[in-house]
Amino acid sequence: MFFLKPTKKRIYLDHAAATPLNKEVVAEMVSVLQSSFGNPSAIHQEGIMVRNIVENGRAKVATVLGIKPTGVTFTSGGTESNNLAILGLVEKLHQEGRAYSDMEVLTTKIEHPSISEVLPVLTAKGVMVRFIEVDNEGKITVSALEAVLSPKTVLITFAYANSEVGVVQSVSRLTRVVRRYQKENQTKIFVHIDAAQAPLWLPCQLERLDVDLMSLDVGKCNGPKGIGVLAKRGLVSLAPILFGGGQEQGLRPGTENVACIAGAAKALEIAQANYQARAERVSLVRDNFIELIKQTVPEVLLNGLEGEERLANNINISLPKIDTEFAVVYLDTHGISASTKSACAGAGSGESKVVAVMTGDTKRAKSTLRLSLGEETTMSDMKYVLDILIKYRQKMEKLTK
């Protein structure tokens, strides 16, 4: 049965890669762009005016995340935040006298490239990188974490919610294991989470999650692109990885992007104020579509968990014997934006490394399709998407006969 829907509206299902700007965020940014042009480091009136905008934005973000304003560092996005968290912590520990060879960093093999591509830099310095095993749904289990903790462990870094398959890690449960190990072994282990996909759907207070560092990318939660946050709790100290002026408490040199900082603060306020209601609405559409496609296409495979342990807006499926790269192109010609994997993982042919690690099935990993919904996505939209997918599948079956 087809669910044809006459429409000229495009259906955007790549919110994991980029989100549209919220109107309130746009208004906030336009106001700053029109009224404030000074350099925040200048000591004259124009400079002081924009410095106040930066610090007000910092205070707002700190309130949203439940930390002190000094714990908020503005960056260019999630990638820089992840790099600064990992490299900045290791370098600071080294500066304080700890040998690289005496440090271990724990992570998983399903992380975003902004974490996984930092690892060779660490190993080149002599830092040991060890991997926490994930189960076939992408979850870090307590036993897997316990198996790799050691007295040399200084940092654990992983995604709060995976950008490809949407698995949500049980962060608080994992940090309890870490804190218990710390106490028993009289050591200090820092926990960093990549929360780029989280603000619209999950709580992001560092105290609640008991993490030391959190990376955010505001372009993923209806804010402007090119602005991110690295949030720190407690007495976390980092070394800079970029060099120049003394902006951002010496951690991030360069003149601040004042309008984007104002927009970031507004976007994060809106995202976290309504995340529960938003997640409930969108997850209903997600679950209904998953059930519908399972009924209609029996061979479809869902990658990742179901229910609350999955991002409310994430659908990641494998369609055996279907070229999903071409499926994305076909969907695009029918007014639907989708993807096969993380945009930062690179376009073109190739498997999803995340699905390959989780399942051990390369064929399944080469036939993935990621549909990441937005707040405005309706079930009518998703029925139309299913109809186009069925048409594509039938077209491909005819060509291969």
Side-chain angles (χ1 to χ4, degrees):
M1 181 178 181
F2 296 145
F3 302 96
L4 288 172
K5 183 180 89 167
T7 179
K8 293 182 179 180
K9 180 189 79 169
R10 283 189 64 84
I11 299 172
Y12 184 74
L13 297 177
D14 201 18
H15 287 81
T19 54
L21 276 168
N22 181 287
K23 290 180 180 178
E24 292 182 54
V25 173
V26 173
E28 190 83 11
M29 294 176 66
V30 168
S31 175
V32 172
L33 288 168
Q34 290 177 336
S35 65
S36 309
F37 63 90
N39 189 309
S41 297
I43 59 173
H44 48 60
Q45 186 173 330
E46 288 82 1
I48 292 169
M49 180 186 299
V50 291
R51 169 52 56 192
N52 288 337
I53 294 170
V54 170
E55 296 311 321
N56 285 339
R58 195 186 312 281
K60 288 178 181 177
V61 172
T63 298
V64 170
L65 302 180
I67 58 176
K68 294 179 179 179
T70 52
V72 174
T73 301
F74 292 111
T75 69
S76 63
T79 290
E80 187 185 342
S81 293
N82 283 340
N83 274 248
L84 178 55
I86 298 167
L87 295 175
L89 180 67
V90 168
E91 285 304 313
K92 186 64 177 179
L93 291 173
H94 182 63
Q95 290 172 9
E96 292 174 348
R98 189 149 183 175
Y100 289 129
S101 59
D102 193 40
M103 289 189 265
E104 290 183 354
V105 173
L106 308 183
T107 187
T108 79
K109 292 182 178 179
I110 63 168
E111 300 306 319
H112 187 270
S114 59
I115 289 179
S116 63
E117 294 304 310
V118 177
L119 304 180
V121 179
L122 295 179
T123 56
K125 292 176 181 289
V127 177
M128 173 65 74
V129 174
R130 302 179 69 192
F131 292 101
I132 311 166
E133 294 294 327
V134 296
D135 63 20
N136 59 7
E137 305 293 356
K139 287 283 278 190
I140 300 172
T141 64
V142 167
S143 59
L145 176 57
E146 289 175 334
V148 291
L149 285 169
S150 85
K152 288 187 177 183
T153 304
V154 295
L155 173 66
I156 301 170
T157 176
F158 59 90
Y160 186 2
N162 186 273
S163 62
E164 288 197 26
V165 298
V167 61
V168 178
Q169 301 295 348
S170 305
V171 177
S172 297
R173 188 180 180 196
L174 297 174
T175 52
R176 280 197 295 273
V177 173
V178 175
R179 303 313 177 201
R180 184 172 65 246
Y181 183 90
Q182 283 184 168
K183 187 175 181 180
E184 292 172 352
N185 292 273
Q186 296 297 298
T187 186
K188 175 59 183 173
I189 301 172
F190 295 90
V191 179
H192 163 252
I193 57 172
D194 173 5
Q197 298 291 332
L200 287 169
W201 319 106
L202 298 165
C204 290
Q205 290 68 48
L206 277 74
E207 187 78 32
R208 175 174 178 173
L209 296 167
D210 194 17
V211 298
D212 303 291
L213 295 144
M214 175 188 289
S215 297
L216 296 166
D217 188 327
V218 184
K220 312 292 188 188
C221 59
N222 304 128
K225 297 173 185 64
I227 187 78
V229 172
L230 178 59
K232 307 185 297 295
R233 183 170 71 110
L235 300 175
V236 180
S237 186
L238 304 173
I241 60 173
L242 299 174
F243 302 94
Q247 293 91 345
E248 294 302 294
Q249 303 169 69
L251 279 180
R252 211 282 172 165
T255 302
E256 295 91 341
N257 189 336
V258 181
C260 279
I261 286 172
K266 175 60 71 173
L268 287 169
E269 279 185 326
I270 295 169
Q272 282 291 278
N274 304 299
Y275 78 87
Q276 289 173 304
R278 183 184 302 111
E280 287 175 5
R281 289 196 305 274
V282 176
S283 62
L284 285 175
V285 178
R286 175 202 67 190
D287 292 344
N288 285 337
F289 177 82
I290 290 172
E291 186 60 33
L292 196 57
I293 196 169
K294 282 181 176 180
Q295 294 173 2
T296 313
V297 187
E299 66 268 31
V300 71
L301 299 169
L302 179 68
N303 298 311
L305 293 156
E306 297 189 48
E308 293 182 0
E309 292 183 294
R310 184 185 202 98
L311 276 175
N313 74 325
N314 177 281
I315 299 167
N316 188 299
I317 55 176
S318 288
L319 295 164
K321 300 179 182 179
I322 294 292
D323 187 326
T324 48
E325 288 283 345
F326 279 111
V328 168
V329 175
Y330 188 82
L331 288 169
D332 191 39
T333 63
H334 287 75
I336 302 160
S337 301
S339 62
T340 58
K341 52 185 182 288
S342 167
C344 289
S349 61
E351 65 185 33
S352 162
K353 292 182 180 178
V354 174
V355 175
V357 169
M358 286 167 46
T359 65
D361 186 338
T362 56
K363 289 184 178 179
R364 181 169 176 173
K366 288 180 180 178
S367 62
T368 57
L369 183 68
R370 181 183 70 173
L371 307 174
S372 47
L373 288 59
E375 191 170 0
E376 305 302 321
T377 307
T378 66
M379 196 57 215
S380 178
D381 293 332
M382 298 308 294
K383 287 179 178 178
Y384 175 69
V385 171
L386 180 57
D387 180 52
I388 299 304
L389 278 174
I390 292 170
K391 284 179 174 291
Y392 173 75
R393 181 166 162 266
Q394 292 174 339
K395 185 182 182 74
M396 291 301 101
E397 285 176 349
K398 287 179 182 178
L399 290 174
T400 54
K401 282 184 178 178

